[in-house]
Amino acid sequence: MRERHGLAYYVRTLAETYSDSGYLTTQAGVPTVKAEAAIKIILAEYRKMTEELVSESELKRAKDLLQGKSLLQMEATDNLAVWYARQAILRKKMLTPQEFLNQIKKLQRSNYERPLKKFLSIMA
Protein backbone atom coordinates (compact mmCIF):
# COMPACT_ATOMS: atom_id res chain seq x y z
CA MET A 1 0.00 0.00 0.00
CA ARG A 2 2.82 2.35 0.79
CA GLU A 3 5.27 1.52 -1.99
CA ARG A 4 2.87 0.43 -4.75
CA HIS A 5 0.01 2.86 -4.21
CA GLY A 6 1.59 5.77 -2.33
CA LEU A 7 -1.38 5.87 0.05
CA ALA A 8 0.22 5.58 3.46
CA TYR A 9 2.98 7.14 5.50
CA TYR A 10 3.33 3.83 7.34
CA VAL A 11 1.63 0.45 7.41
CA ARG A 12 1.96 -2.25 10.06
CA THR A 13 0.13 -5.43 10.90
CA LEU A 14 0.24 -6.99 14.34
CA ALA A 15 -1.02 -10.33 15.60
CA GLU A 16 -1.82 -11.04 19.23
CA THR A 17 -2.40 -14.62 20.29
CA TYR A 18 -3.83 -15.98 23.48
CA SER A 19 -4.52 -19.56 24.57
CA ASP A 20 -8.12 -19.43 23.33
CA SER A 21 -8.35 -16.38 21.07
CA GLY A 22 -6.40 -13.67 19.35
CA TYR A 23 -6.62 -10.83 16.89
CA LEU A 24 -4.99 -9.39 13.83
CA THR A 25 -4.85 -5.65 13.26
CA THR A 26 -3.50 -3.47 10.51
CA GLN A 27 -2.71 0.17 11.07
CA ALA A 28 -1.95 2.70 8.37
CA GLY A 29 -1.17 6.38 8.46
CA VAL A 30 -3.23 7.72 5.58
CA PRO A 31 -4.84 11.04 4.79
CA THR A 32 -8.58 10.96 5.50
CA VAL A 33 -9.41 11.36 1.83
CA LYS A 34 -7.48 8.15 1.03
CA ALA A 35 -8.84 6.05 3.92
CA GLU A 36 -11.43 4.19 1.87
CA ALA A 37 -8.89 3.16 -0.77
CA ALA A 38 -6.47 2.06 1.96
CA ILE A 39 -9.14 -0.06 3.67
CA LYS A 40 -9.97 -1.78 0.37
CA ILE A 41 -6.31 -2.68 -0.15
CA ILE A 42 -5.94 -3.99 3.42
CA LEU A 43 -9.06 -6.15 3.08
CA ALA A 44 -7.85 -7.46 -0.28
CA GLU A 45 -4.55 -8.49 1.32
CA TYR A 46 -6.41 -10.30 4.12
CA ARG A 47 -8.48 -12.15 1.49
CA LYS A 48 -5.32 -13.03 -0.41
CA MET A 49 -3.96 -14.67 2.74
CA THR A 50 -6.88 -17.11 2.69
CA GLU A 51 -6.44 -17.96 -0.98
CA GLU A 52 -2.67 -18.26 -1.43
CA LEU A 53 -0.02 -20.02 0.62
CA VAL A 54 2.76 -17.85 1.91
CA SER A 55 5.93 -18.13 -0.21
CA GLU A 56 8.86 -20.23 0.98
CA SER A 57 11.02 -17.11 1.29
CA GLU A 58 8.36 -15.30 3.35
CA LEU A 59 7.98 -18.31 5.64
CA LYS A 60 11.75 -18.54 6.10
CA ARG A 61 11.90 -14.85 6.92
CA ALA A 62 9.09 -15.19 9.49
CA LYS A 63 10.66 -18.27 11.08
CA ASP A 64 14.07 -16.58 11.30
CA LEU A 65 12.48 -13.50 12.87
CA LEU A 66 10.55 -15.55 15.43
CA GLN A 67 13.58 -17.64 16.34
CA GLY A 68 15.81 -14.59 16.73
CA LYS A 69 13.25 -12.70 18.78
CA SER A 70 12.69 -15.73 21.01
CA LEU A 71 16.40 -16.24 21.60
CA LEU A 72 16.87 -12.59 22.56
CA GLN A 73 13.93 -12.72 24.97
CA MET A 74 15.27 -15.88 26.62
CA GLU A 75 18.52 -14.14 27.52
CA ALA A 76 16.74 -12.32 30.37
CA THR A 77 16.10 -14.58 33.36
CA ASP A 78 12.76 -12.94 34.16
CA ASN A 79 11.53 -13.68 30.60
CA LEU A 80 12.70 -17.27 30.95
CA ALA A 81 10.78 -17.57 34.24
CA VAL A 82 7.63 -16.21 32.56
CA TRP A 83 8.19 -18.67 29.68
CA TYR A 84 8.09 -21.66 32.04
CA ALA A 85 5.35 -20.24 34.28
CA ARG A 86 3.03 -19.60 31.32
CA GLN A 87 3.54 -23.15 30.09
CA ALA A 88 2.97 -24.62 33.56
CA ILE A 89 -0.38 -22.87 33.70
CA LEU A 90 -1.58 -23.24 30.10
CA ARG A 91 -0.02 -26.40 28.64
CA LYS A 92 -0.06 -30.09 29.44
CA LYS A 93 3.58 -30.49 28.37
CA MET A 94 6.27 -27.91 28.93
CA LEU A 95 8.77 -27.25 26.16
CA THR A 96 12.31 -26.11 26.63
CA PRO A 97 13.30 -23.09 24.56
CA GLN A 98 15.28 -25.42 22.26
CA GLU A 99 12.25 -27.68 21.74
CA PHE A 100 10.20 -24.59 20.86
CA LEU A 101 12.83 -23.47 18.35
CA ASN A 102 12.89 -26.95 16.82
CA GLN A 103 9.11 -26.77 16.35
CA ILE A 104 9.48 -23.45 14.56
CA LYS A 105 12.08 -24.97 12.22
CA LYS A 106 9.65 -27.79 11.31
CA LEU A 107 6.82 -25.45 10.26
CA GLN A 108 5.75 -25.69 6.63
CA ARG A 109 3.58 -23.52 4.43
CA SER A 110 0.73 -26.03 4.58
CA ASN A 111 0.54 -25.62 8.38
CA TYR A 112 -1.07 -22.22 7.82
CA GLU A 113 -3.63 -22.89 5.12
CA ARG A 114 -6.60 -24.10 7.18
CA PRO A 115 -6.05 -21.91 10.27
CA LEU A 116 -5.78 -18.79 8.15
CA LYS A 117 -8.93 -19.60 6.24
CA LYS A 118 -10.79 -20.17 9.50
CA PHE A 119 -9.30 -17.12 11.21
CA LEU A 120 -10.07 -14.83 8.32
CA SER A 121 -13.41 -16.37 7.34
CA ILE A 122 -15.18 -13.21 8.46
CA MET A 123 -13.69 -11.53 5.40
CA ALA A 124 -15.67 -13.67 2.97
Side-chain angles (χ1 to χ4, degrees), residues 74-92:
M74 296 299 170
E75 288 181 359
T77 55
D78 57 335
N79 285 341
L80 195 56
V82 169
W83 164 268
Y84 283 110
R86 181 175 289 130
Q87 290 187 81
I89 293 168
L90 299 175
R91 295 182 178 261
K92 293 179 182 177

Side-chain angles (χ1 to χ4, degrees), residues 34-115:
K34 296 182 179 182
E36 186 175 340
I39 291 169
K40 286 179 181 178
I41 291 169
I42 291 167
L43 293 176
E45 288 298 315
Y46 281 2
R47 279 188 203 93
K48 189 168 131 183
M49 290 169 47
T50 68
E51 297 165 358
E52 300 174 15
L53 287 178
V54 65
S55 69
E56 287 292 341
S57 61
E58 183 79 16
L59 179 60
K60 182 183 180 331
R61 194 171 135 226
K63 287 166 49 172
D64 290 347
L65 179 68
L66 182 56
Q67 290 176 67
K69 184 178 174 183
S70 298
L71 285 171
L72 287 174
Q73 288 177 336
M74 296 299 170
E75 288 181 359
T77 55
D78 57 335
N79 285 341
L80 195 56
V82 169
W83 164 268
Y84 283 110
R86 181 175 289 130
Q87 290 187 81
I89 293 168
L90 299 175
R91 295 182 178 261
K92 293 179 182 177
K93 179 184 183 281
M94 291 194 350
L95 299 175
T96 65
Q98 188 58 53
E99 289 170 326
F100 175 71
L101 294 174
N102 289 341
Q103 283 188 348
I104 293 170
K105 290 176 186 174
K106 291 178 186 176
L107 290 174
Q108 298 178 6
R109 293 174 6 172
S110 59
N111 294 120
Y112 296 97
E113 186 176 17
R114 197 176 69 214

Side-chain angles (χ1 to χ4, degrees), residues 1 9-12 17 25 28 35 47 49 76 88 94 101 108:
M1 178 168 33
Y9 302 108
Y10 69 89
V11 179
R12 64 176 160 246
T17 57
T25 62
R47 279 188 203 93
M49 290 169 47
M94 291 194 350
L101 294 174
Q108 298 178 6

